[in-house]
Amino acid sequence: MAWPIPICKAPATAFLSALLIICSNVNGHDSMREAENYPPLWDNVPNSLAGFVTIHNKTVINPWNYLERMGMYKILLSVTAKYMESFGPRNTGNVLWGLPLQHGWQFNTGRLADPSDATSCGQQTGDPLCISTTSWWSCMNYYLATIPFLGAVEAGFFDEWPFEIEMSPPEEHVDDFCYNTRDCHVLIPDTMAKWTNFFQLLKKTRDISQSRLLPSISPEKDNVWRHIWIAHVSSIEAALPKFSERLTYISAPEAQFGVSWGSAVEFIAAAHFPTNFNQTNVFQVYLPQRMLLAHDKAPSIPDLSKKENWALVALDILYEGNKVTDGGLLKFWRRAMCSERGREEGRNLLENIVSNPDLILPGMRKILVEFIKNYNCSITDA
């Protein structure tokens, strides 16, 4: 059913307001310096399956240890590198970089530790490498770490490995997670299938010719980004209702930030935004570098940078704008992103938020034009 034109104005206004807040309070020039930040303890992370324990013909990975969970990401980056040669030099263009870099930020900012303080898991005074099952962030990330890895297993990336691969369960909340490909097809069949499909598609990308990076992406590469974002969003959608109770262990501002960040990912996903090494590092400086406390209120949190403060405000605007329009804001954005041209303009706009504020308003006008042009476009899995 088509939207009446007056209703369309509300999503557009909320989205434009969020962008204006970001671009008017950010020094974009400094943000575009090429980042060289690898995840914490990257050199200590296992880089092959041989780095994990194998017993009784099973290689067992402990996803409740930071080094081992991060090891899954490092291995995925390694085994997919040959399919990513045209995406960027030295594997920096790998489409999977966003996942380990996000996990490293979670670890660095204490978001993987037990927020209830009932245990010392993740605390410097206890086991700093421990990942808590009480942490909302760690449980959400499980679905963006273990599920992609097992999807790659099922897609045949480790067929030469002579042992079965399995995850070790936590001591608590065992039923909230899956531990091998069979379990995951039972617990979250749709999400597991989407990650497997992504890795199967990736095997066909070896011959993709070199194309320009942002804002233009070849149709073949765009299809790769489309499928990884479909799988990524599916993981978030599967995990959100399952772990909502974990939000009670963290402060209200932190819970709001987590939920609004999860919602914002859907906007980024619709543009098929490349989460390669450099782009992820550039945009990750906007995320708060510590857990938010009960008294924190952006944009006036004194020990957070201006970028972090205003990013929190913008995320709230996007979340609340989408909520009050009953999902209309996201529908507006997805419809604008429904064509290759729209996604190109969307990526360009997202990049200009930090790199060239003078181009924000012209970019907004282009997004509105693309929305109008794509008005009758289907936005299912766009």
Side-chain angles (χ1 to χ4, degrees), residues 15-299:
F15 182 69
L16 301 188
S17 297
L19 294 181
L20 281 171
I21 284 177
I22 294 177
C23 71
S24 63
N25 290 278
V26 170
N27 184 337
H29 180 74
D30 290 341
S31 301
M32 285 307 292
R33 291 178 298 182
E34 183 171 324
E36 292 295 340
N37 297 319
Y38 286 86
L41 305 175
W42 188 245
D43 291 338
N44 302 104
V45 171
N47 57 14
S48 73
L49 288 171
F52 300 107
V53 173
T54 296
I55 186 170
H56 301 312
N57 290 323
K58 279 187 179 182
T59 297
V60 181
I61 300 173
N62 178 13
W64 306 105
N65 173 276
Y66 169 76
L67 295 180
E68 297 203 26
R69 188 181 290 195
M70 185 63 81
M72 290 190 282
Y73 289 132
K74 194 171 188 178
I75 293 168
L76 285 180
L77 285 166
S78 177
V79 299
T80 59
K82 65 181 180 181
Y83 305 103
M84 298 288 173
E85 291 173 354
S86 68
F87 282 69
R90 303 181 305 280
N91 207 27
T92 57
N94 196 305
V95 302
L96 294 166
W97 264 116
L99 298 175
L101 288 169
Q102 179 80 169
H103 186 47
W105 164 78
Q106 292 166 352
F107 173 78
N108 236 7
T109 58
R111 287 179 164 86
L112 303 178
D114 183 355
S116 70
D117 291 328
T119 70
S120 60
C121 179
Q123 307 291 346
Q124 292 300 319
T125 55
D127 180 0
L129 299 178
C130 175
I131 296 177
S132 173
T133 57
T134 307
S135 162
W136 179 84
W137 290 97
S138 78
C139 293
M140 294 290 294
N141 179 260
Y142 188 96
Y143 279 48
L144 285 165
T146 296
I147 313 308
F149 192 84
L150 291 175
V153 170
E154 186 165 68
F157 275 81
F158 304 102
D159 280 354
E160 295 181 1
W161 186 250
F163 308 111
E164 186 179 346
I165 300 171
E166 191 165 280
M167 307 296 145
S168 58
E171 294 182 359
E172 299 178 313
H173 309 293
V174 175
D175 293 339
D176 288 340
F177 310 98
C178 54
Y179 309 100
N180 53 50
T181 56
R182 296 183 303 276
D183 289 346
C184 291
H185 273 296
V186 173
L187 184 67
I188 44 171
D190 183 62
T191 300
M192 184 64 185
K194 285 176 178 175
W195 278 110
T196 301
N197 289 341
F198 162 72
F199 283 104
Q200 289 172 337
L201 172 69
L202 202 57
K203 284 189 169 184
K204 303 175 184 178
T205 66
R206 187 74 181 274
D207 296 326
I208 290 179
S209 59
Q210 183 71 32
S211 69
R212 293 171 293 171
L213 298 179
L214 286 175
S216 297
I217 295 179
S218 70
E220 295 86 359
K221 287 184 179 179
D222 185 70
N223 195 39
V224 172
W225 289 111
R226 174 178 178 267
H227 278 81
I228 192 172
W229 278 118
I230 286 174
H232 189 124
V233 169
S234 181
S235 281
I236 292 177
E237 289 178 343
L240 272 173
K242 188 176 291 291
F243 302 119
S244 59
E245 65 187 40
R246 309 292 206 280
L247 292 171
T248 61
Y249 292 108
I250 55 182
S251 70
E254 179 71 14
Q256 175 62 29
F257 163 60
V259 172
S260 62
W261 174 237
S263 176
V265 167
E266 297 201 60
F267 290 86
I268 299 170
H272 300 178
F273 195 83
T275 49
N276 56 43
F277 183 81
N278 291 330
Q279 290 298 123
T280 303
N281 270 308
V282 164
F283 281 90
Q284 208 155 255
V285 300
Y286 295 94
L287 302 181
Q289 299 305 304
R290 65 161 174 81
M291 294 277 284
L292 300 181
L293 306 176
H295 62 269
D296 286 332
K297 187 173 178 58

